[in-house]
């Protein structure tokens, strides 16, 4: 974005691009394959680190694709402003991707609650014990990677023995 704005205001011709485009395409293909492997592994293992690495490589892929598309459009149309416009679009994608990853990482550090559908399943499970006079309150949930944690206070009927409460 830093170099695209001046080029948008003062368009300049693109020169000596064939070798650069070839290198960008090969690098993009390699990055695409590695990014997909990292993203898949991140999802399988619940690892935001692997996912962040995969998304980082995907921004590199989109940057290279943007360069190729921008230069190709300039060559095809002669409109010099297309190159910096594509560069600004790529920059916006990088910022959006970075923001999403940082937000998710921050929420992970803040012990966000488990997903609403998981909370609903937990509530349904606990409701099954209400008919026996068991009550629950002060429930808290959090997640860290693939692990989910639930903490709550369990109130059993006063006439129960300690053994019944444990069961």
């Amino acid at each position: 974005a830093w170099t695209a704005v001046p080029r948008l205001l003062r368009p300049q011709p693109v020169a000596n691009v064939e070798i650069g485009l070839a290198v960008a395409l090969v690098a993009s293909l390699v990055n695409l394959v590695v990014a997909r492997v990292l993203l898949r592994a991140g999802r399988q293992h619940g690892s935001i680190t692997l996912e962040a690495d995969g998304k980082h490589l995907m921004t590199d892929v989109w940057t290279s694709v943007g360069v190729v598309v921008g230069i190709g459009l300039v060559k095809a149309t002669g409109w010099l402003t297309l190159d910096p416009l594509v560069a600004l679009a790529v920059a916006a994608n990088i910022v959006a991707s970075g923001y999403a990853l940082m937000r998710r990482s921050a929420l992970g550090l803040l012990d966000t609650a488990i997903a609403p559908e998981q909370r609903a399943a937990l509530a349904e499970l606990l409701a099954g014990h209400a008919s026996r006079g068991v009550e629950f309150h002060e429930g808290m949930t959090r997640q860290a990677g693939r692990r989910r944690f639930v903490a709550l206070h369990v109130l059993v009927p006063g006439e129960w023995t300690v053994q019944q409460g444990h069961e």
Side-chain angles (χ1 to χ4, degrees):
W2 186 261
T3 58
V5 171
R7 288 181 62 98
L8 187 61
L9 299 174
R10 290 177 302 286
Q12 302 170 13
V14 181
N16 301 324
V17 296
E18 288 77 16
I19 293 175
L21 288 178
V23 170
L25 286 174
V26 170
S28 287
L29 289 175
V30 170
N31 283 341
L32 178 64
V33 170
V34 175
R36 291 181 56 84
V37 169
L38 286 170
L39 289 169
R40 186 177 320 114
R43 281 190 300 274
Q44 287 175 342
H45 299 289
S47 170
I48 192 156
T49 304
L50 290 174
E51 192 174 332
D53 284 344
K55 288 191 177 194
H56 172 95
L57 283 176
M58 282 306 294
T59 61
D60 290 348
V61 169
W62 286 114
T63 299
S64 297
V65 168
V67 167
V68 171
V69 167
I71 291 172
L73 287 172
V74 168
K75 287 264 190 202
T77 65
W79 298 344
L80 298 178
T81 55
L82 289 176
D83 182 40
L85 287 174
V86 171
L88 288 172
V90 169
N93 178 55
I94 291 170
V95 169
S97 180
Y99 172 79
L101 282 170
M102 287 178 61
R103 181 179 184 280
R104 210 168 133 212
S105 294
L107 290 175
L109 293 172
L110 297 173
D111 286 341
T112 56
I114 61 176
E117 59 274 3
Q118 292 172 334
R119 286 195 307 268
L122 176 63
E124 184 178 324
L125 175 74
L126 296 176
H129 296 284
S131 63
R132 297 176 45 213
V134 179
E135 298 176 26
F136 304 92
H137 68 98
E138 300 291 327
M140 295 181 293
T141 66
R142 69 181 183 94
Q143 56 187 347
R146 295 181 73 159
R147 298 187 64 156
R148 309 295 185 257
F149 300 91
V150 176
L152 51 86
H153 293 177
V154 179
L155 304 173
V156 297
E159 65 273 6
W160 281 18
T161 66
V162 172
Q163 181 62 42
Q164 286 175 303
H166 284 286
E167 289 171 1

